[in-house]
Amino acid sequence: MTNADKQLSPVFPYRHLLGIEGLSPSDITALLDLADTYVEQNRQIDKKGSVLRGRTQINLFFEASTRTQSSFELAGKRLGADVMNMSVSSSSVKKGETLIDTAVTLNAMHPDLIIIRHQSSGAVELLSQKVSCSVINAGDGAHEHPTQALLDALTIRRRKGRLEGLRVAICGDILHSRVARSNILLLNAMGARVRVIGPPALMPKGIERLGVEVFHNMKKGLEGVDIVMMLRLQLERMAGSYVPSQREYFHFYGLDYSKLAHAKPDALVMHPGPMNRGVEIDSAVADDIDRSLIREQVEMGVAVRMAVLDALSRNLPNELALAGGRS
Amino acid sequence: MSRTAFTNARLIDPASGFDQPGGLLVENGLIADLGPHLFNDGLPDGAEAVDCRGRVLAPGLIDCRVFTGEPGAEHRETLALASKAAAAGGVTTMIVMPNTDPVIDDVALVDFIERRARDTAIVNVHTMAALTKGLHGEQMTEFGLLLEAGAVGFTDGVKSVANAQVMRRILSYAAHLGALVVQHAEEPALATGVMNESELAGRLGLAGIPAVAETIMIERDLQLLELTGGRYHVSQISCEASVEIVRRAKTRGLPVTCGVSAAHLQLNENDVQSYRTFFKLSPPLRSEQDRLALVAGLADGTIDVVVSSHDPQDPEVKRRPFAEANFGAIGLETLLPAGLALVHNGDLPLGRLLAALTCIPSDLLGLGRGRLVTGLPADLVLIDTDVPWKLEPASLKSISKNTPFEDRLFQGRALRTMVGGQTVYVQGEER
């Protein structure tokens, strides 16, 4: 069986990827396995595939993003899709066009895949109900960011060989973090043991009912963990509204070597980016090539997004791309 | 002389507890006579006969909390259209809120509403005027003059009077006039979210409004009320703790009353699950435990009135992501069916439900209606308590279709509505 034949079989029985919620461990494993093959492809000189040849992919970003948008753009292009980027904050929304009108307008141009980021929780799900193509959630408010959780899982799995049984600590602003929610759901589904660490004001009510252990003391929370996942804390939330100041936050919740020493000796550090160096993470830790997976996460991001695009495109109704000849 | 004879009815007068088969005669817009044996000797001359076939004939419903778009947002709903929705829901009197553009905070504007209603509406309309000028929560309105102009109470509608000093002075000034002060109880600094603060809000990534935002405001106002006296009414309570607070205050003899919306009696926060903005209400839908406490509070009389909190919103402000959509749902046409669902569940006797929709709001607002008593205006509703039907938004009279009961199966509805002796609605007949 050739590689191309293998890739034609459906691996992911959904039309959209709106969140990790609702995915089974086998769905997640299938995506990670497919992503593994793209990691290898991306390390070749010829990185170009053709599973999305003829397909149109639109990156519809209502919220500014550099790394997620470029990662999706590169992923689509490496699979042969035509990719269009739209940053909507700068165009029609300012003219009063409604969110749904924007989506319906784009839909009329027959895209096959739309990748959406929006500042409101639930906005991507809302739009997915109004379009006829596949939708990928690239982050909606404080709700979910499924491809981030998948790329984190891929990064961990490649370094630790497994997800099951690992102790993972997610640290920082859990309340406002879609990355935290998607990661909690994914890691729990895959049998990891998840802790969340942060000040009480940055914890959502009832978080423990999601199946995590809650710690307010970072040193205690890091004891015996395999993975330390840091979250970004938006600077405006540190001006006395949620926590008193940046320096107080860093003192108690910034990751430095002295706190990291409480984790397992081989514990690895992750961060979804962009980092606030000196606020939630010490520069030396972030740049430590033995401990930090931060650059690897970016690499895995492209592979995971290629896997998601590939998997969803196999379920698209029109067969034109398949007829394009990958025999 | 115009006469209507309702025969073979199940007459229910919630105020007296009267519940018997019989007939009722309407003459010149008034209830002329009623009783078990009224038409034993045949119908009076020239009377239009309405055979009720054993169904419930009750006083028309009084809805204490209705928002319309008139003046200022007539595309959402006019008084005329809202009154048609009311008639279809068995509501014969609606109390409209001052949250319009301009705000109803002046004698001339109360007069405007009264005149527009007289000329265009098919049910009785009364005005609740603003508590504070422009709803800004700072300067009280002219309670005395507004009462004389016809205002039946005072509220800032969907806004709380947050400043304790302003509220104290309002309660104190309103007390000597006997004016009803109606608070939307929600501490604004705590109520910055969009749904109930809960595990579900955490999972959905939506900012929560804690129940204490409501209870802090009610507790504060009750303490002020102890200083000032007067009449204080919480327009809507939404949680178990508020039921408890009001229950205790009533036991202590404080002059407090409160309401609950039909939506809060039927729905809970889980309905928000799919980010449906028609479930975005203020106060928010809370947990099932809270809902059950509200039902119990209504059954034992802690909660005085049931309201629709009818609030038409157009698609432009509802077809948005949850956090960005407006609050509010329509409810005039579902007030009675949603209430009847509680009766069918055995949560509530029919008489208690009807009292909370007729004589109690009438007494609260001094309307002198809401009873089956000879000489009162013939505001009546004929109710089939059992007929099953499905709510299809297209069949609603409201032009705004933001109902949280879309496609819901109901049991029971208004069949015929009469206001002041005029038939304003017959189910199945367009008028």
Side-chain angles (χ1 to χ4, degrees), chain B residues 24 32 72 84 175 180 244 255 337 378:
Chain B
L24 184 145
K84 284 192 176 150
L180 183 70
E244 225 9 82

Side-chain angles (χ1 to χ4, degrees), chain A residues 38-297:
Chain A
Y38 283 116
V39 174
E40 301 316 313
Q41 181 177 320
N42 286 338
R43 288 175 179 172
Q44 308 302 313
I45 293 181
D46 182 3
K47 302 171 183 64
K48 190 96 172 175
S50 59
V51 294
L52 292 189
R53 199 163 76 190
R55 299 287 191 194
T56 302
Q57 170 189 335
I58 298 180
N59 296 335
L60 180 57
F61 277 60
F62 293 90
E63 201 180 62
S65 154
T66 350
R67 66 184 64 209
T68 305
Q69 185 167 338
S70 52
S71 183
F72 269 111
E73 182 177 359
L74 206 51
K77 285 179 171 166
R78 283 187 181 164
L79 294 174
D82 294 311
V83 183
M84 183 177 85
N85 288 315
M86 274 196 68
S87 297
V88 189
S89 53
S90 54
S91 58
S92 51
V93 167
K94 289 233 172 91
K95 294 177 199 153
E97 188 177 54
T98 68
L99 174 65
I100 289 173
D101 287 340
T102 304
V104 169
T105 302
L106 289 177
N107 190 51
M109 300 176 192
H110 298 292
D112 301 284
L113 297 137
I114 299 187
I115 289 86
I116 305 173
R117 167 170 289 190
H118 196 279
Q119 61 278 3
S120 275
S121 303
V124 178
E125 186 176 326
L126 175 68
L127 292 180
S128 74
Q129 295 158 5
K130 310 290 174 186
V131 298
S132 52
C133 57
S134 283
V135 170
I136 299 172
N137 182 0
D140 64 323
H143 180 222
E144 283 231 43
H145 190 357
T147 57
Q148 179 71 43
L150 287 164
L151 77 88
D152 288 341
L154 182 65
T155 309
I156 297 170
R157 200 178 76 163
R158 288 176 67 91
R159 284 296 280 264
K160 296 284 186 188
R162 65 193 166 102
L163 294 167
E164 193 177 353
L166 292 179
R167 277 209 178 87
V168 182
I170 305 176
C171 315
D173 182 0
I174 312 291
L175 179 63
H176 299 98
S177 177
R178 53 195 175 215
V179 175
R181 279 174 184 73
S182 288
N183 263 311
I184 290 168
L185 292 166
L186 187 150
L187 292 166
N188 271 338
M190 301 306 288
R193 284 184 281 175
V194 183
R195 298 172 176 184
V196 291
I197 303 173
L202 294 174
M203 291 284 175
K205 188 179 174 183
I207 178 80
E208 63 287 344
R209 310 237 310 255
L210 293 185
V212 298
E213 275 186 276
V214 181
F215 289 88
H216 302 307
N217 180 320
M218 190 165 184
K219 288 175 183 171
K220 283 197 180 134
L222 288 182
E223 264 164 36
V225 306
D226 299 282
I227 300 287
V228 185
M229 248 182 215
M230 299 306 299
L231 298 173
R232 176 181 169 76
L233 178 60
Q234 287 188 9
L235 297 176
E236 64 270 18
R237 298 200 171 117
M238 270 179 293
S241 53
Y242 287 89
V243 293
S245 69
Q246 277 192 37
R247 69 174 187 179
E248 175 145 338
Y249 184 79
F250 185 77
H251 181 72
F252 289 103
Y253 297 104
L255 186 67
D256 53 21
Y257 280 114
S258 81
K259 294 197 194 78
L260 186 56
H262 292 261
K264 279 192 183 166
D266 62 347
L268 297 169
V269 176
M270 304 175 77
H271 192 297
M275 285 181 279
N276 297 310
R277 289 169 183 268
V279 176
E280 70 249 353
I281 190 163
D282 186 64
S283 265
V285 175
D287 297 334
D288 184 338
I289 53 168
D290 296 323
R291 307 298 294 272
S292 167
L293 297 177
I294 295 171
R295 269 180 292 179
E296 212 167 313
Q297 286 174 274

Side-chain angles (χ1 to χ4, degrees), chain B residues 287-365:
Chain B
S287 70
E288 178 62 6
Q289 188 180 332
D290 289 312
R291 187 191 74 82
L292 292 171
L294 293 172
V295 172
L298 176 62
D300 72 17
T302 303
I303 298 175
D304 299 270
V305 298
V306 177
V307 300
S308 71
S309 228
H310 180 84
D311 191 0
Q313 299 287 337
D314 56 69
E316 283 64 45
V317 295
K318 276 295 188 184
R319 290 175 72 208
R320 287 182 182 176
F322 197 86
E324 296 165 27
N326 282 14
F327 289 94
I330 58 170
L332 277 165
E333 290 164 82
T334 47
L335 176 63
L336 177 62
L340 285 172
L342 299 175
V343 176
H344 292 302
N345 282 345
D347 295 330
L348 204 64
L350 179 60
R352 172 73 200 120
L353 172 70
L354 291 176
L357 289 165
T358 57
C359 53
I360 297 175
S362 172
D363 293 350
L364 184 66
L365 301 168

